[in-house]
Amino acid sequence: DIVDQYFPWRRFAAECYHNGILPFWNPYQHFGYAFTADPQSGAWYPFVWLSALFGGYNVYVNQLEFFIHVFIGGAGMYLLTNHFTLCRKSSLAAGAVYMLSGFFIGNAQHLTYIISGAWFPWVIYLFLKMSNRLHWSDALLFSLSLFLMTAGGYPAFTIITAYILIFLFLYKLISVFKNRKSDLWKYVRINLFALVMLSLLSSF
């Protein structure tokens, strides 16, 4: 699928952007269809925009996109693991295991799965960091990572991630209410800010 499906979609999008055209409609498939309405097309994913900016999307860029996202996933898992332990060797091992896991190997042909898997640990890590520090910059980074997962990944993984985030939000909300009532309103505000930023980024 990575060559037969995702490659032609991304090449089409990159060529449109390179020529100053928004790829709203793809006339080459299904007798024409609303290309930008397809979450898997990559039309709104920044990696496709960058490839259009730097000369176009070819089969080498297609493979580079796969490897870059495997590395992004490993780096995210390293940070997520490091959030729970101070042992960097354990975190490094977790990142390497995640990159070489069956999910990435078994779904190497499903580029949107790989993108979802790449951004998932970043989303969870940045949400936990935002919830602990209550900094606006963390909320912005969290929104950006969730946008990247939404714009480039497989929709089902985004929905599952939303369920996990709702659970984490409620768990942390109860924890803050019990232990740090003074931070309750700030915790709610920071989450609302993140939600608004995500809505703006994903407004299309």
Side-chain angles (χ1 to χ4, degrees):
D1 286 354
I2 196 170
V3 174
D4 296 335
Q5 178 175 310
Y6 298 108
F7 169 66
W9 284 351
R10 277 160 157 70
R11 185 174 177 87
F12 170 71
E15 286 185 355
C16 285
Y17 287 129
H18 188 69
N19 289 282
I21 302 168
L22 286 173
F24 288 120
W25 188 261
N26 182 355
Y28 303 112
Q29 193 174 10
H30 307 309
F31 295 102
Y33 75 107
F35 187 70
T36 51
D38 183 358
Q40 297 188 80
S41 67
W44 301 111
Y45 194 53
F47 192 94
V48 178
W49 305 344
L50 289 172
S51 66
L53 187 64
F54 291 104
Y57 196 96
N58 56 42
V59 71
Y60 300 106
V61 177
N62 187 232
Q63 295 304 305
L64 181 64
E65 183 176 9
F66 168 76
F67 284 113
I68 285 174
H69 283 92
V70 171
F71 178 78
I72 289 171
M77 185 55 70
Y78 169 83
L79 290 172
L80 179 59
T81 310
N82 204 46
H83 180 80
F84 296 104
T85 177
L86 297 176
C87 180
R88 291 189 176 182
K89 290 182 180 179
S90 298
S91 300
L92 188 62
V97 167
Y98 187 66
M99 287 192 294
L100 302 172
S101 67
F103 177 83
F104 282 100
I105 295 171
N107 290 292
Q109 64 172 324
H110 303 125
L111 188 57
T112 51
Y113 285 31
I114 299 301
I115 293 171
S116 292
W119 292 113
F120 175 76
W122 285 92
V123 169
I124 301 301
Y125 164 69
L126 289 168
F127 180 81
L128 294 174
K129 188 178 178 183
M130 175 189 74
S131 298
N132 289 337
R133 301 201 321 160
L134 301 178
H135 285 187
W136 301 104
S137 58
D138 295 330
L140 190 59
L141 289 173
F142 162 70
S143 301
L144 180 60
S145 65
L146 190 52
F147 160 73
L148 290 169
M149 185 180 187
T150 305
Y154 191 69
F157 291 106
T158 305
I159 294 168
I160 293 167
T161 303
Y163 291 149
I164 296 170
L165 290 172
I166 290 169
F167 172 79
L168 291 174
F169 167 76
L170 293 175
Y171 176 81
K172 188 67 177 178
L173 185 67
I174 294 169
S175 177
V176 171
F177 180 76
K178 286 182 176 180
N179 304 315
R180 295 183 298 165
K181 285 188 179 180
S182 59
D183 289 335
L184 184 62
W185 176 233
K186 189 174 183 181
Y187 176 73
V188 173
R189 277 190 305 166
I190 206 88
N191 278 276
L192 285 173
F193 173 75
L195 185 61
V196 168
M197 292 307 300
L198 176 64
S199 299
L200 290 173
L201 288 169
S202 306
S203 57
F204 57 83

